[in-house]
Amino acid sequence: MTDERPRAAVQTHELMLALVRGPALAVVTLPLSILLFVLSVVSLALLPIGVGVVTFPPVQRALRRYANQRRRLVHRWGGIEVPEPYRPWPRERGGGVVGWVEQCVWLLKDPATWRDISWLPADMTAGFTTALLPPMLPLNHQLTARMLEPTREMLLSRRVAELYETRHDAVDSSAAELRRIERDLHDGAQARLVAMGMSLGTIEALVERDPAKAKALIAQARENSAEALTELRDLVRGIHPPVLAERGLPDALRALALRMQIPVEADIDLPGRFDEPVETAVYFAVSEVLTNAAKHAEPSRVWLDVLYAEDTPDAGAVRVTVTDDGKGGASLDAGSGLRGVQRRLAQFDGVLALDSPADGPTMVTLEVPAQPT
């Protein structure tokens, strides 16, 4: 008897919640579902004359926001998690905004678009009816989850689209890195080596006629050679820091923290070495985040925390948290340094999360799947 009373109380509480939530859900969602369905159908009908090209993308954006809100509601009220099935939104090379036609074609090719549109009539009819009947509200949640959850084909399609995007990002990053190396060589070490060669030619002509002048030019050539060597070392360090190759990611990150112009408190706990591409990606991501913080946030102190997390879907990841006490207001808009870091990490299935209120503090979290070697 004592076990039945709490259970009955819980059931009564759930029924009372359903009495309130169900009618409210029905009243709010019915007009929204009807409106979005009508707008979607009208936009599709107007595609042949060109009007739908302009109206279809914003209507589908609104529909996706509405569907995502219903997914969150199903999770909050029904305890059923419904992942988003959408492919990554298209973008122009370089981070620009795509045109209306490309947006429209992208949406028409995405199976999730048609799944959302087909869900609306079911939500208007069966969804509305089950929402009005309190005992049927969990059927309502199951119906919404079943129609809005991604199918296996949709998950595979989204994964292919993500891999396509990250492949382009990898090609762009490699090309940009090659251009940087060529520019640094041309403007730095190469120019000094050319000047040194010209000085040696002049020295050869002056060594007998004007030994003092030749001696001065030799000293200048020696100085140029030392500066060229320093620039070459800096260039190599920018490609792959020697400390990273020799001593691993923890020591490389500690050395990076010590070189910063602002105080950085580093707490690094990693089990060992990782694959070289992963270590390089994490190192340069942390370098960019620290540099970005020092340049824009004007902090008095930065905290760098690095650990190996085993509680991830990929069964292990390097997790980095960079926190500063600066002015905040950082963003992941296209063109920002953090957006570039996010794109580069995506090549390794890594993610970047940002929390930066207007008055600070700013917290940047990086996570890259990895296994100790």
Side-chain angles (χ1 to χ4, degrees):
M1 180 67 68
T2 54
D3 292 337
E4 293 297 327
R5 288 178 182 175
R7 189 179 308 165
V10 170
Q11 291 175 348
T12 302
H13 178 68
E14 291 178 349
L15 182 59
M16 294 299 294
L17 285 177
L19 283 170
V20 176
R21 290 173 172 174
L25 183 67
V27 170
V28 173
T29 60
L30 179 62
L32 288 175
S33 295
I34 294 175
L35 176 63
L36 289 170
F37 181 71
V38 170
L39 290 176
S40 297
V41 172
V42 171
S43 296
L44 286 170
L46 294 176
L47 281 176
I49 62 173
V51 178
V53 174
V54 178
T55 60
F56 190 68
V59 169
Q60 293 311 302
R61 284 182 182 271
L63 175 53
R64 291 187 173 194
R65 286 195 294 269
Y66 175 59
N68 281 334
Q69 180 60 36
R70 293 294 298 275
R71 291 184 180 97
R72 288 190 289 269
L73 211 59
V74 167
H75 182 252
R76 189 180 306 125
W77 289 358
I80 306 173
E81 187 164 356
V82 188
E84 291 186 25
Y86 309 117
R87 296 177 180 176
W89 192 255
R91 56 178 172 77
E92 284 184 352
R93 305 296 291 275
V97 180
V98 298
W100 291 107
V101 174
E102 187 176 355
Q103 291 183 44
C104 197
V105 171
W106 187 268
L107 287 166
L108 291 172
K109 288 183 177 180
D110 192 346
T113 300
W114 302 103
R115 195 169 174 84
D116 284 353
I117 294 175
S118 64
W119 161 70
L120 291 173
D123 190 56
M124 287 184 268
T125 53
F128 177 76
T129 303
T130 53
L132 285 178
L133 302 174
M136 299 292 291
L137 189 58
L139 173 57
N140 181 284
H141 296 326
Q142 291 174 3
L143 173 68
T144 303
R146 191 177 302 114
M147 296 200 70
L148 291 183
E149 67 183 0
T151 62
R152 184 173 181 273
E153 290 75 15
M154 292 166 68
L155 290 173
L156 289 174
S157 176
R158 183 172 65 178
R159 181 59 179 158
V160 169
E162 290 173 351
L163 290 174
Y164 179 81
E165 287 291 316
T166 55
R167 188 192 68 174
H168 276 293
D169 289 341
V171 172
D172 290 344
S173 297
S174 298
E177 186 66 12
L178 285 174
R179 288 194 298 270
R180 182 188 69 82
I181 294 171
E182 290 173 355
R183 184 177 62 251
D184 290 348
L185 283 172
H186 181 271
D187 297 340
Q190 179 179 332
R192 295 191 182 279
L193 291 173
V194 170
M196 189 170 61
M198 295 173 63
S199 296
L200 289 174
T202 305
I203 291 169
E204 186 178 11
L206 293 176
V207 69
E208 295 182 358
R209 292 189 295 107
D210 192 348
K213 181 68 173 178
K215 186 177 181 181
L217 289 175
I218 290 173
Q220 183 180 355
R222 185 185 300 112
E223 182 180 347
N224 285 336
S225 68
E227 291 178 353
L229 182 59
T230 299
E231 290 179 354
L232 285 173
R233 285 173 176 168
D234 291 340
L235 183 62
V236 170
R237 188 177 294 111
I239 298 173
H240 192 78
V243 66
L244 182 62
E246 297 168 3
R247 304 180 62 180
L249 186 58
D251 286 343
L253 292 178
R254 292 188 184 99
L256 178 64
L258 290 173
R259 289 201 306 269
M260 296 300 297
Q261 298 178 349
I262 53 176
V264 178
E265 293 185 10
D267 183 6
I268 303 171
D269 183 14
L270 294 175
R273 298 299 300 266
F274 299 88
D275 291 338
E276 183 178 320
V278 172
E279 290 190 338
T280 304
V282 172
Y283 176 86
F284 283 109
V286 173
S287 176
E288 179 70 23
V289 172
L290 290 176
T291 302
N292 197 71
K295 183 178 180 181
H296 300 291
E298 301 176 2
S300 62
R301 188 168 295 275
V302 177
W303 292 266
L304 171 63
D305 298 287
V306 186
L307 56 84
Y308 184 70
E310 299 182 359
D311 57 340
T312 65
D314 298 292
V318 176
R319 183 177 296 162
V320 180
T321 303
V322 179
T323 309
D324 69 67
D325 60 357
K327 61 184 181 181
S331 71
L332 292 175
D333 294 335
S336 71
L338 294 179
R339 176 61 176 164
V341 173
Q342 186 182 49
R343 290 176 58 188
R344 288 194 295 273
L345 291 180
Q347 301 167 23
F348 300 87
D349 287 336
V351 295
L352 182 149
L354 172 66
D355 181 18
S356 183
D359 296 327
T362 294
M363 177 182 292
V364 180
T365 303
L366 319 174
E367 192 170 286
V368 181
Q371 293 291 330
T373 57

